[in-house]
Amino acid sequence: MTEQYDVASVRGLYTGLSDGWTYLNAHAAPQIAERVASGVARSFRMSATVKPLEDAVGAHSAHHDPGELHAADMYASARRAVADLTGATAERVILGPSLPVLYQALGAALRPLLRRQSSVVLSRFDSPEFTSAFAQLGTDIRWAQPDLGTGELPAFQYADLVDGSTRFVAFSGAHELLGTVTPASEIIDSVHERSRAWVLVDVSSIAPYRLLDFDAIGADILGVDVGALGGPQMAALVFRDTAMFRRLDEIVVGPVSAGLAGGVGPLVDHLAELAGGERGSRRVRLTRSMQALSGYMEELTGDLYSLLGTLPAVHILGVTGEAAADASDDRLPRLTFAVRDVPADVIHRRLFDNGLVTTIAPHTPLLTEMGVEEVGGAVTVSLSPFSTYHDVEHLTRVVASLA
């Protein structure tokens, strides 16, 4: 049974909200819950301290080397937390300081899988920061193209892009600025029908809003930015099984702060606390909590798109106009919009003057091709677990004053 989502109680978990601002910038700077901040602080205090020795009595007594630091437990705790977050197991998790670092390390480790005639399929839907780690693999690089009217990544093209030579496919599960959700299962099924390729899906934009289930997604590797969920600035790769490691070169990443690693467990505990109740394992509570959050966010997403969409001068990228007539309704509570004849910096300033924290949309290759520069730039807004209908209504009123 799905738990009731009580947004007022959820807001109480974020002490930063007491400053009076309305934060609509989860895509750029998600708020840090008090539980996570306290967990990181404790981890930094404890990471360099020595674990106490216990008497080696009994079959299940704890054993560790004299002088071992608490930092080792923090890394192990972080792997277990990511495993619970994704529905995986801890031994399949690799931690790193950031996703770009992990993707570069993975790209280097993939070389044993590639032959001279191998192909790799990437996507123009994704940022160059994501694709650059794999675009230099020295093989036949093929590119999936987004729909410039809807900002979506069509699945049908993978039937032509993927063949028996394909060894690796990578794409994002959703667009962080447009809110468009990729038909990941459909793409993955198409890839696996035509090749033995491994599929990597970056789920960082989906993870703050929806339950992640590794088996249901069907990917071979998941990438998740822990910081994108309001956690410490670090990331993780999760593999389908540990046998995959034997087919790779060693994945070498830079050092990960033990203090930051110690904050991953509190983050997942926090997500399980949103609406998960008190009974069951952390994964069980997280499942209930994220299902309740998803239902609540689905309602707010509808409000966000419908209210802004009723303003005649507002253009929502991927939604407004004839070219977007066939756009999917499956969207995250995020969007990027422009106001006719009003520069983006003026919109951004008006919102800020009214207590609304948003961002000016960056000029990414996809947004540029969708015409964001031609309309004077655009502003991105994204909702958080603590967002309310009042926030969406307030945003709409301020934007309406510009139109």
Side-chain angles (χ1 to χ4, degrees):
M1 182 179 70
T2 300
E3 297 289 328
Q4 183 67 32
Y5 194 81
D6 182 358
V7 69
S9 296
V10 169
R11 290 181 66 85
L13 304 177
Y14 294 85
T15 56
L17 300 183
S18 61
D19 61 6
W21 293 98
T22 297
Y23 289 99
L24 300 176
N25 63 337
H27 59 284
Q31 291 298 298
I32 310 299
E34 180 60 28
R35 186 167 192 163
V36 177
S38 298
V40 170
R42 180 182 181 279
S43 298
F44 272 105
R45 287 197 305 268
M46 298 294 295
S47 61
T49 62
V50 175
K51 296 167 63 175
L53 287 176
E54 299 183 13
D55 294 334
V57 178
H60 300 288
S61 60
H63 298 280
H64 56 263
D65 295 331
E68 184 175 341
L69 302 180
H70 278 103
D73 290 341
M74 293 168 187
Y75 296 127
S77 172
R79 291 188 180 92
R80 289 194 300 269
V82 172
D84 282 343
L85 179 69
T86 58
T89 52
E91 68 273 10
R92 293 150 53 187
V93 175
I94 293 179
L95 303 175
S98 68
L99 275 183
V101 169
L102 282 170
Y103 288 153
Q104 288 290 342
L106 177 62
L110 283 171
R111 298 194 181 279
L113 272 66
L114 305 176
R115 301 293 182 266
R116 190 168 63 178
Q117 302 301 320
S118 298
S119 64
V120 168
V121 180
L122 305 176
S123 166
R124 301 290 187 192
F125 175 83
D126 299 315
S127 68
E129 186 178 45
F130 177 20
T131 58
S132 63
F134 309 111
Q136 309 299 323
L137 290 176
T139 59
D140 176 17
I141 305 296
R142 303 172 183 177
W143 293 93
Q145 301 294 336
D147 185 311
L148 298 182
T150 64
E152 299 168 3
L153 183 63
F156 69 83
Q157 60 189 312
Y158 284 83
D160 296 324
L161 292 169
V162 176
D163 57 30
S165 72
T166 307
R167 292 293 178 265
F168 184 72
V169 177
F171 59 87
S172 295
H175 196 282
E176 64 175 346
L177 303 176
L178 299 175
T180 50
V181 176
T182 304
S185 295
E186 188 178 348
I187 293 174
I188 292 168
D189 288 345
S190 180
V191 171
H192 287 165
E193 285 173 5
R194 292 167 172 78
S195 72
R196 296 176 296 158
W198 288 359
V199 180
L200 163 67
V201 181
D202 187 319
V203 294
S204 302
S205 295
I206 294 178
Y209 306 111
R210 301 181 180 183
L211 179 70
L212 299 178
D213 186 329
F214 195 105
D215 293 337
I217 294 171
D220 300 286
I221 309 171
L222 296 183
V224 57
D225 181 350
V226 176
L229 285 86
Q233 296 300 310
M234 57 183 299
L237 295 177
V238 188
F239 288 76
R240 174 173 31 84
D241 57 60
T242 56
M244 297 173 69
F245 297 143
R246 297 196 292 269
R247 300 186 60 191
L248 298 170
D249 285 341
E250 183 181 1
I251 299 177
V252 180
V253 298
V256 177
S257 162
L260 293 180
V264 182
L267 168 67
V268 179
D269 289 337
H270 161 73
L271 295 174
E273 183 184 10
L274 295 178
E278 299 178 353
R279 300 176 59 184
S281 67
R282 181 166 59 186
R283 177 63 184 179
V284 168
R285 289 181 285 111
L286 180 70
T287 298
R288 289 196 295 261
S289 185
M290 295 306 292
Q291 287 173 343
L293 172 63
S294 295
Y296 177 72
M297 282 288 122
E298 186 175 345
E299 294 179 8
L300 274 192
T301 301
D303 294 334
L304 177 65
Y305 279 86
S306 62
L307 289 178
L308 278 182
T310 60
L311 303 178
V314 170
H315 178 88
I316 302 175
L317 272 69
V319 175
T320 305
E322 293 182 4
D326 296 325
S328 170
D329 292 330
D330 187 13
R331 289 181 172 269
L332 301 179
R334 298 181 173 185
L335 56 77
T336 295
F337 73 96
V339 178
R340 186 170 56 243
D341 299 327
V342 183
D345 58 345
V346 174
I347 302 170
H348 181 251
R349 184 70 200 188
R350 176 69 66 86
L351 294 172
F352 189 79
D353 288 344
N354 284 270
L356 295 160
V357 183
T358 62
T359 66
I360 296 177
H363 291 175
T364 66
L366 176 56
L367 266 59
T368 296
E369 289 193 42
M370 292 180 72
V372 70
E373 295 175 6
E374 298 171 9
V375 295
V379 169
T380 300
V381 300
S382 55
L383 305 185
S384 300
F386 52 77
S387 296
T388 67
Y389 177 78
H390 172 75
D391 297 338
V392 175
E393 198 175 37
H394 182 34
L395 169 69
T396 306
R397 284 197 302 268
V398 176
V399 174
S401 71
L402 285 162

